[in-house]
Structures are given as C-alpha cells and as structure tokens.
C-alpha cells in the first residue's frame, strides 16, 4: 500500500512552503508564462499555487516532490484560464498558435536549430525586451527569475523600495500591452538584448553568492540557476566572448562555495579559506570558458572576461600568499577604465593594498568617501577598517568596522564585522 504524506504542524509546513516556493518560483513562473504568454499573469498564478499549498499541505502533508506539485497546480490553473478565454470568444492567436486546448502536450514551441527549449532562458530574454528601460529589465528579472523581494532589489540598486515596486508593476504592464512574445529571439534582436541578459544573470548570481539580507550568507539555488543559464547561453551563442567570459567568472566564483562558510554558516574570509575545498572541476570549467572567451575575442577583453581573469588569478594560487596581487591590481585598473565604477575602484584598492601596502590603498579608499553610491555600502567602511588596522590605527579601524556592521543587512556579515570591531576594542 502506498504510504501517504503525514500531516505536520501548520507553522512548520508554512515555513517549508515559503522556502520551497522561493526556490521553485522562477521555474513555475517561466513554465506558466509559456502557456499564458504574460509574465504578470504567470506570477499571479504561481502565487495562487502558493496559496493552495498553504491551504492543503498542513492538512494533507508535504508532497514527495513539492516543486512538481506547485508547478502542476499553477499550470492547471493556467490552462483553465486559457479555456475560459476561449469560452469568451478570444482568438486562439492571443495565447500562441501552437497552444492546443484539447491536447496540452502540444504546448511546446516549434523546434528550431538555433533555439533552445529552456523556459527560464525565455523568461530572461522576455524580461530584457527593449520596450523596457534597462532598470526595469533588471528589476523585473531579478523579481521573476531570482525570486528576490522588492526590498532586496532596492538594496542592490540603492534606491527606495517603492521605486522598485513601481518599476516592476510598470514593466509587467508594458510587456502585456505591447504583446511581447515569450521567446528567445534570433539574430540582431538577440544580440541587442544580450547585454541586459548577461547583467541580469550576473546580478542573480551575486545575490546568491553574497545575499544582501537575511540569515544566510549564501543562497545556493540562485547561484545554480545563474550558472546553468550562463552555460546554456554559452552553448546558444558560442561566438560571443562576453558570454564565455561570464560563464568563466561564475564557474570560478562558484568553485569556492564550499570553503566560504564555516560549520555554523559563518563567513570565512578568502585568506582563511581551505583551498583544498575549492572545487577543481569548476575551476577547470572556468579556465576552459575563459580560454573560449579569449579565442573568439576580436578586441580588448570585456568586463566579464576581465573579472574572470581576476578570478583565475585566485584560482591558480595554491595559497593566499602565492596570489599575484600585482596582476590582479592591473586587471582591476583595466576593468575600471572599461567600466568605471566606485565598487570596481574599491576592489582595486584591496588588490593595491596587497601589492603595494595599505598606505597607497587608503588614499584610493578615502577618495571614494564622497561617492553617493557608496554612502550606505557596508564594504566601504569594512575595507577602510582593514587598511587602518594594518597601519596600526586600531581605534579608527574599530569605528569603521562598527559602522560597517551597522550598515550590513546580512546577519552573517554583520556578525563578522562586529566581531572584528570587538577584537580591536582596547587595542
């Protein structure tokens, strides 16, 4: 006799439902969007599936495959919605010429030798349509693909939460009113959207690699989705050097994941990481992707390839002391020239501090003090505190670490920064 799921206390199930939904929601939205051809409606139907789970799972127990349950529930509701539209005499073309209401297995797109059947990738390209502003494209995709809350996206953009909420609502409305197709485009149109797509994948990975808020430093599901999308995109666009550059960067960054946290989930700084725990397979994949980027490049390397080259410098060093910091500082200089950014300059300062000492680096950091984009960025006082500590200016360093801890929204980072401040107390 088949074993039935065991009902569980409502509170525990509610937490489980919300956790599972956060992980699975991008796939659910993408799968449903392929049916209804509207990302806004797809997100609403995904939320309906969440509500159904919150109602049924405490009573019936959590299913063996909760992600599949949520997907099936959302798709059934999507098909019901399409059928209702038909009953109201809406034209079949409204939801795609290939949608057969009597045979749901016909929902797949026609095969094309230059296309790839990946709903998540379709969702990214749809959300990165040029009818949207660059800010709206990124905010919408982080919401739909990354499962980020509006407050988390606002933190990433350093803008008010209400601004992000408005961008997302307007973006979904624009895609619907313009009738944007849910597809991976071809030719010049694909190339025109590529920059936004790469940026979105990069930001989703970064949120997984160092979560802006919450109790955990890492959100592995986001890293996995971003890395998988980068790999898919590299196969889809083999002649684009920056696609391979991004793939290389993510492979190399992800290779350190197991060593970046301790037994209790606490952050482990790069200099303290056990490099034998770095994933050698991912490092090899990263070097292969970087080689492909260099092989197809026709000019100077782009920003993702440059960042991948920096990550490669770390990956090929057997110890922290073996790191070629001068080369890293040079690469950050090239990156700053290619894409000027106060965050890039802050990272360059760290490399300069290792190559030339904390004094020259502190000059770079102090020059960034007035940057509006870094006003509430906790890593600015964190880096400055480290430099001051190395210069023997302990009390100033402690004040910087305390300020950094106050600004940090991730609990793990806040604990680390507060601990560093305590270590300097009384020094």
């Amino acid at each position: 006799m088949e074993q039935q799921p065991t009902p569980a206390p409502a509170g525990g199930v509610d937490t489980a439902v919300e956790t599972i939904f956060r992980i699975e929601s991008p796939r659910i939205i993408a799968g449903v969007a392929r049916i209804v051809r509207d990302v806004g409606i797809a997100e609403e139907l995904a939320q309906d599936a969440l509500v159904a789970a919150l109602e049924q799972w405490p009573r019936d127990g959590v299913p063996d495959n909760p992600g599949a349950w949520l997907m099936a529930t959302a798709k059934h509701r999507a098909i019901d919605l399409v059928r209702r539209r038909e009953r109201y005499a809406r034209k079949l073309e409204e939801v795609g010429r290939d949608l057969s209401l009597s045979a749901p297995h016909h929902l797949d797109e026609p095969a094309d030798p230059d296309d790839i059947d990946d709903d998540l990738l379709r969702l990214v390209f749809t959300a990165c349509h040029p009818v949207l502003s660059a800010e709206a494209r990124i905010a919408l995709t982080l919401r739909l693909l990354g499962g980020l809350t509006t407050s988390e996206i606002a933190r990433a953009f350093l803008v008010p939460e209400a601004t992000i909420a408005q961008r997302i609502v307007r973006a979904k409305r624009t895609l619907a009113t313009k009738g944007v197709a849910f597809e991976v485009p071809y030719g010049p149109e694909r190339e025109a959207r590529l920059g936004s797509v790469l940026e979105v994948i990069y930001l989703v990975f970064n949120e997984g690699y160092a979560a802006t808020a919450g109790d955990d430093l890492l959100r592995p599901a986001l890293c996995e989705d971003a890395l998988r999308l980068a790999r898919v995109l590299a196969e889809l666009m083999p002649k684009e050097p920056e696609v391979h550059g991004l793939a290389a960067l993510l492979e190399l960054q992800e290779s350190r994941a197991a060593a970046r946290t301790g037994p209790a989930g606490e952050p482990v700084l790069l200099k303290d990481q056990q490099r034998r725990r770095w994933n050698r397979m991912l490092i090899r994949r990263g070097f292969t992707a970087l080689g492909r980027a260099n092989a197809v490049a026709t000019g100077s390397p782009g920003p993702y390839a440059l960042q991948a080259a920096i990550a490669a410098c770390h990956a090929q060093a057997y110890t922290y002391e073996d790191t070629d910091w001068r080369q890293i500082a040079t690469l950050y200089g090239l990156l700053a020239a290619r894409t000027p950014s106060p965050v890039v300059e802050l990272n360059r300062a760290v490399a300069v501090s290792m190559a030339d000492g904390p004094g020259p680096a502190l000059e770079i950091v102090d020059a960034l003090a007035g940057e509006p984009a870094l006003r509430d960025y906790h890593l600015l006082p964190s880096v400055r505190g480290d430099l001051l500590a190395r210069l023997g200016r302990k009390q100033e360093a402690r004040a910087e670490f305390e300020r950094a801890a106050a600004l940090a929204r991730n609990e793990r980072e806040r604990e680390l920064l507060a601990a560093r401040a305590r270590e300097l107390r009384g020094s």
Side-chain angles (χ1 to χ4, degrees):
M1 182 174 181
E2 184 178 352
Q3 184 176 358
Q4 296 300 313
T6 302
V13 173
D14 288 355
T15 301
V17 172
E18 292 169 4
T19 300
I20 293 165
F21 181 78
R22 182 148 186 167
I23 294 171
E24 298 291 340
S25 63
R27 296 180 182 85
I28 297 169
I29 293 169
V32 173
R34 195 172 184 189
I35 299 172
V36 299
R37 306 293 174 167
D38 185 310
V39 295
I41 293 175
E43 187 179 19
E44 292 173 7
L45 292 171
Q47 292 288 338
D48 287 346
L50 171 63
V51 172
L54 289 170
E55 292 173 348
Q56 297 180 37
W57 291 5
R59 181 188 69 232
D60 302 333
V62 178
D64 291 337
N65 191 335
W69 189 99
L70 288 166
M71 177 70 83
T73 300
K75 282 190 171 182
H76 288 156
R77 294 180 184 225
I79 292 171
D80 286 344
L81 175 63
V82 171
R83 286 173 173 157
R84 286 200 301 273
R85 285 176 172 176
E86 278 300 294
R87 286 198 294 270
Y88 293 142
R90 296 280 183 92
K91 292 182 179 180
L92 185 61
E93 286 75 15
E94 240 179 62
V95 291
R97 65 181 182 280
D98 61 325
L99 179 60
S100 172
L101 297 177
S102 59
H105 62 276
H106 289 156
L107 293 176
D108 291 337
E109 295 286 334
D112 186 282
D114 193 34
D115 200 3
I116 190 161
D117 184 16
D118 190 294
D119 286 340
L120 281 174
L121 196 60
R122 294 170 192 270
L123 181 60
V124 176
F125 270 98
T126 301
C128 291
H129 196 281
V131 297
L132 304 177
S133 68
E135 295 83 2
R137 295 174 208 167
I138 296 170
L140 179 62
T141 311
L142 287 174
R143 172 68 180 158
L144 298 180
L145 178 74
L148 275 65
T149 64
T150 52
S151 63
E152 289 170 337
I153 301 170
R155 173 69 174 176
F157 279 117
L158 303 176
V159 297
E161 185 175 344
T163 301
I164 293 298
Q166 291 172 359
R167 285 180 189 172
I168 292 172
V169 169
R170 290 170 183 166
K172 289 189 287 190
R173 185 185 302 130
T174 299
L175 291 177
T177 57
K178 297 290 185 180
V180 172
F182 185 69
E183 64 182 9
V184 177
Y186 307 107
E189 187 179 354
R190 178 184 294 173
E191 295 174 6
R193 291 195 224 173
L194 182 59
S196 290
V197 170
L198 294 179
E199 185 174 9
V200 164
I201 294 173
Y202 176 71
L203 288 173
V204 170
F205 180 88
N206 277 353
E207 179 59 30
Y209 190 76
T212 56
D215 296 330
D216 298 318
L217 179 69
L218 311 179
R219 295 176 62 185
L222 291 184
C223 291
E224 290 169 7
D225 272 342
L227 185 53
R228 188 179 66 81
L229 285 169
R231 290 169 178 168
V232 168
L233 203 58
E235 294 299 320
L236 186 66
M237 308 181 75
K239 296 181 180 179
E240 289 289 342
E242 276 293 79
V243 173
H244 294 298
L246 178 63
L249 174 61
L250 302 195
E251 300 278 9
L252 292 167
Q253 294 289 80
E254 181 64 9
S255 72
R256 306 178 206 160
R260 292 186 60 237
T261 54
E266 70 278 11
V268 178
L269 298 176
L270 180 62
K271 65 183 178 65
D272 299 322
Q273 290 176 16
Q274 298 179 17
R275 299 195 173 207
R276 65 178 180 273
R277 299 188 66 197
W278 288 7
N279 189 314
R280 308 312 299 182
M281 183 192 72
L282 291 179
I283 290 174
R284 287 194 295 272
R285 290 183 64 102
F287 276 105
T288 298
L290 184 56
R292 289 174 180 163
N294 293 332
V296 298
T298 56
S300 58
Y304 296 116
L306 285 169
Q307 291 179 75
I310 292 168
C313 287
H314 290 294
Q316 64 191 10
Y318 288 105
T319 67
Y320 185 74
E321 291 72 24
D322 291 335
T323 307
D324 190 347
W325 289 105
R326 194 164 300 281
Q327 174 67 7
I328 291 175
T330 299
L331 289 168
Y332 269 121
L334 294 173
L335 182 61
R338 183 69 185 265
T339 54
S341 159
V343 174
V344 170
E345 194 68 2
L346 183 63
N347 286 327
R348 186 175 76 86
V350 174
V352 167
S353 77
M354 300 303 298
D356 300 321
L362 186 60
E363 294 179 10
I364 298 172
V365 172
D366 285 345
L368 296 171
E371 287 285 346
L374 298 182
R375 183 179 57 190
D376 297 322
Y377 189 52
H378 67 286
L379 292 183
L380 177 62
S382 173
V383 170
R384 192 168 190 274
D386 183 69
L387 297 176
L388 289 168
R390 289 166 59 188
L391 288 167
R393 296 159 62 176
K394 306 294 187 181
Q395 295 307 310
E396 293 174 81
R398 179 171 62 84
E400 290 295 324
F401 282 125
E402 288 174 345
R403 178 168 173 261
L407 290 173
R409 292 185 59 196
N410 182 279
E411 186 61 32
R412 296 296 186 175
E413 287 188 299
R414 186 184 299 118
E415 290 171 356
L416 174 65
L417 293 164
R420 296 200 69 184
R422 287 194 298 272
E423 290 171 4
L424 293 166
R425 191 170 295 154
S427 300

